[in-house]
Amino acid sequence: MLDATAQKRVLVVDDEPGHRLMVRAVLSDAGWLVDEAASAELALERLRRAKAGSEPDVVLLDMRLPGMDGMEALECITRLDTSGEPVPVVLLTAYGSVGSAVSAMKRGAFDYLTKPADNDELTAVMDKARDYSRLLRENKALRKRMGSGAARLIGESPSMRSLKELIAQVGPSEATVLILGDSGTGKELAAEALHEASPRAAKPLVRVNCAALPGELLESELFGHVKGAFTGALRDKPGRFVLADGGTLFLDEIGEMPPGLQAKLLRVLQDGIVEPVGGVSPIQVDTRIITATNRDLAAEAKSGRFREDLYYRLNVLEMRMPPLRERLDDLPLLVGHLLRKLGEKNRKVVRGVSPAFLERLSMYGWPGNVRELENVLERALILSRSDTLGPEMLPPHFPGGPGAAEPGRGIVPPPILNDGPMDFDGAEKAAIERALGATGGHRERTADLLGISRRTLQYKLRKYGLARR
């Protein structure tokens, strides 16, 4: 989320004192902190010396300057390493030099204005450039803090290896991707990994949750609006499509999008045209679309609840996120990764978990997937008085714990309570052998008893040499 309360900073580069004074008055009234430079050389020196947190969000640059002209200054600014991303440059140009400004935009300028600029247009363009600048910085900071999306897709099970291979293959393309999967399986991480594997990685990845906003607000959020389009629209606002221009737009919960907006989204996919709410001038954008849903979108399209033509546009490539119950081999890796992260968050460290703890995790069905696993581990970490998590720290409804077995899972065999050393594979093999004995070797009932799919059970039977049983 952009912080609307943060100070907005602009460096105005213009050799005309009267015009600088006018721009200062307009932008100061709009909440900007204005710095000025009468030449390109002075502006570059200020940008080089700017401290972290005090650098401008936008440079407003006149094309005609004494000494170094605006075109040369633009090239120098885009090469500067200030906060890790180039500062967006908005050009000021005389009416007869619009062709030069358009040429400069191809070299990296964000936008241009003709002098004298209309006050409303000036503030709108500056706000749009600032939003773009902050999105770039926040995305870079997020990638640095969290690591790449691919690196955070934890797991080496066959399904996860296949998923990572698909991301590496699909990421560099321009195709729209539909990510399917239950809640909590990591669909947003997959979208981040796709963006980072693409040529658009240096541009923003902009996220929108289609289920989080009512239809009218979602339309404004996606496509933007012009001043006066509705009550409260006090100025032009760029939509997320414009902010993601050159980058990627991730639309989560796409199945919740109202039918009217589906039609507007279809036009963007077909023509790359965005129409702001209340606007008459369409905007051309170059944005890659990645969508995600936990619904059966094919069934929704066949029933008429989702536009079938839009479904086929979105589903050029389909990616399925495996639920946790189908990749229980990844539990040790996931537990280790999550405990390190949660330990840092809660300022508490555990050395590891007991074999019985892992066994109990492997016997659960995980309807909430990795998100539920994270919640269970955080609860155990906070409540534990030991540096090793044991099964007593799990919620009562877990298999083998106090109370009945998980609903719909049948009778769960008791866990192995072994204080001696045991690796996870040994505990898992023993649990499967006991389940096979309890069901007389019936594989479907065994899979149901363990809370895993029959396909996963078959894989594990082969892994542990139990297939003939």
Side-chain angles (χ1 to χ4, degrees), residues 10-261:
V10 58
L11 175 60
V12 180
V13 188
D14 195 327
D15 63 326
E16 298 178 22
H19 193 263
R20 292 203 309 270
L21 183 63
M22 183 274 292
V23 170
R24 172 181 286 275
V26 172
L27 293 181
S28 295
D29 287 345
W32 286 81
L33 185 63
V34 181
D35 191 13
E36 301 177 21
S39 69
E41 291 84 355
L42 182 57
L44 288 168
E45 181 63 23
R46 291 189 180 177
L47 287 170
R48 292 190 187 101
R49 296 175 60 184
K51 297 180 180 178
S54 65
E55 64 269 47
D57 294 298
V58 187
V59 173
L60 185 61
L61 176 66
D62 192 10
M63 287 284 288
R64 293 187 176 181
L65 293 167
M68 182 185 295
D69 65 16
M71 194 72 78
E72 292 177 88
L74 170 66
E75 293 178 356
C76 292
I77 291 171
T78 55
R79 289 198 300 266
L80 279 178
D81 184 12
T82 53
S83 62
E85 297 290 347
V87 180
V89 177
V90 176
L91 299 171
L92 284 169
T93 181
Y95 181 76
S97 303
V98 170
S100 298
V102 173
S103 175
M105 288 182 66
K106 295 180 180 179
R107 300 189 187 187
F110 179 80
D111 207 340
Y112 73 90
L113 296 164
T114 55
K115 296 175 67 173
D118 175 79
N119 292 352
D120 290 338
E121 185 181 14
L122 173 62
T123 55
V125 170
M126 296 298 291
D127 284 339
K128 182 169 71 173
R130 184 248 188 175
D131 287 346
Y132 178 77
S133 171
R134 291 180 64 79
L135 274 171
L136 284 178
R137 294 178 186 179
E138 288 179 3
N139 271 272
K140 185 178 182 67
L142 182 64
R143 290 196 300 269
K144 183 177 180 180
R145 186 170 70 250
M146 300 296 291
S148 71
R152 285 180 284 125
L153 286 168
I154 305 298
E156 293 300 327
S157 61
S159 59
M160 288 303 291
R161 286 200 298 269
S162 296
L163 177 67
K164 292 176 184 179
E165 290 170 2
L166 183 60
I167 287 172
Q169 184 178 2
V170 172
S173 75
E174 290 294 311
T176 57
V177 180
L178 176 62
I179 305 173
L180 303 176
D182 297 341
S183 296
T185 51
K187 296 188 289 294
E188 187 169 352
L189 290 180
E192 291 174 8
L194 285 166
H195 173 71
E196 290 161 10
S198 76
R200 299 171 177 265
K203 297 292 184 178
L205 169 63
V206 180
R207 303 163 176 82
V208 179
N209 188 326
C210 298
L213 296 170
E216 60 275 9
L217 291 181
L218 180 59
E219 181 178 14
S220 172
E221 191 71 19
L222 287 174
F223 304 105
H225 63 252
V226 300
K227 180 180 178 181
F230 49 82
T231 303
L234 302 180
R235 63 177 179 86
D236 291 358
K237 176 187 175 183
R240 294 302 178 104
F241 272 103
V242 172
L243 294 177
D245 190 23
T248 305
L249 182 64
F250 174 52
L251 300 177
D252 200 4
E253 305 292 353
I254 187 66
E256 307 297 329
M257 180 174 283
L261 290 189

Side-chain angles (χ1 to χ4, degrees), residues 363 397-400 403-414 438-439 444-451:
M363 296 168 64
H397 67 277
F398 264 61
E406 183 190 6
R409 297 293 180 188
I411 301 173
V412 178
T439 63
E444 188 171 346
R445 290 203 298 270
T446 299
D448 189 53
L449 187 62
L450 293 169

